[in-house]
Amino acid sequence: MNELKISNMTDADKPRARLERLGSESLSDAELLALILGSGTSKYSAIGLAQLVLAAHPVKKGLLGLQYLSIHELMRIPGIGKSRACQLLAVAEIAGRTACEMRHNGIYMNSAGEIADYYMERTRFYTKERVYALFFSSANELLREVMISEGSVNRSLLSPREIYREALRSDAVSVVLLHNHPSGDPEPSLEDLMITKRIKVVGDMLGIGLMDHIIIGEGNFISLAERGLLESEIRL
């Protein structure tokens, strides 16, 4: 690694000065991270330390790799303690949320594709399954989302009571379930289908319809409603 030390730069060429003069887009990824880190170590300059971070993931290199690194993996990098690891993860989370917000201009239940498109950016980095309940108004506008479970879609964890209690609190008239498959394959499992049917039955009794269950994979998704699986008979 070619060590580029900020102290060896002229004042005008230092990252902070260039950012002030030319804007943040003038800085390299390593220079941007160096500004976040603030300083280096006895062995590495701030830029050198940033370059280690950008190369840390075995497959995903650069800023994208930050989305895939855990706090423990970051802390294995020389010079990255818990505080700096938390800073870096906060930066990665802000970037992810910003990308989601840029896509969000009022989510309406016009199609499963619109919903999946918004959540795909957020869930693509998850290494565990997360299940969300999305609550919609009578105008089909998203009112609120609640993460129901994390880890796996399991009937013991996914409670219809919890889902519809939150639906009533949100004054929702319909619900959409959504979860990710970290494997990248969105094909529903038998467990997915059984849980969906169970939740739909409860919703029908309460008059709050389960309109869809969307499963997100790697760059693709499956809508159980579009496949006609919400109404199919599944033995519980």
Side-chain angles (χ1 to χ4, degrees), residues 121-166:
E121 181 64 31
R122 184 194 305 185
T123 62
R124 64 182 294 204
F125 303 113
Y126 294 165
T127 57
K128 296 180 180 179
E129 288 188 9
R130 293 187 184 182
V131 184
Y132 293 91
L134 314 179
F135 303 114
F136 289 85
S137 70
S138 58
N140 290 338
E141 183 177 9
L142 179 63
L143 300 170
R144 185 166 168 248
E145 70 170 53
V146 175
M147 188 175 76
I148 302 299
S149 72
E150 181 179 27
S152 64
V153 179
N154 183 290
R155 278 179 290 176
S156 64
L157 299 176
L158 206 55
S159 165
R161 178 181 178 181
E162 181 181 354
I163 290 170
Y164 289 106
R165 181 180 64 219
E166 295 295 337

Side-chain angles (χ1 to χ4, degrees), residues 36 66 74 83-97:
I36 299 296
L66 272 178
L74 284 168
S83 177
R84 280 177 164 171
C86 289
Q87 285 180 298
L88 293 170
L89 290 177
V91 169
E93 182 63 22
I94 289 170
R97 293 187 188 187

Side-chain angles (χ1 to χ4, degrees), residues 27 32 45 84 103 109 118 128 134 148 178 188 210 221:
L27 303 187
L32 288 170
S45 70
R84 280 177 164 171
R103 289 170 174 261
M109 194 174 56
Y118 173 66
K128 296 180 180 179
L134 314 179
I148 302 299
L178 179 143
L210 177 63
F221 74 95

Side-chain angles (χ1 to χ4, degrees), residues 95-116:
R97 293 187 188 187
T98 299
C100 288
E101 287 299 320
M102 290 176 67
R103 289 170 174 261
H104 181 266
N105 188 20
I107 297 179
Y108 289 83
M109 194 174 56
N110 297 320
S111 70
E114 289 183 12
I115 298 172

Side-chain angles (χ1 to χ4, degrees), residues 2 28 38 53 55 79 85 102 113 116 121-122 129 148 183 193 222 227:
N2 294 324
S28 68
V53 172
M102 290 176 67
E121 181 64 31
R122 184 194 305 185
E129 288 188 9
I148 302 299
S183 67
L193 299 176
I222 282 174
R227 284 198 172 186

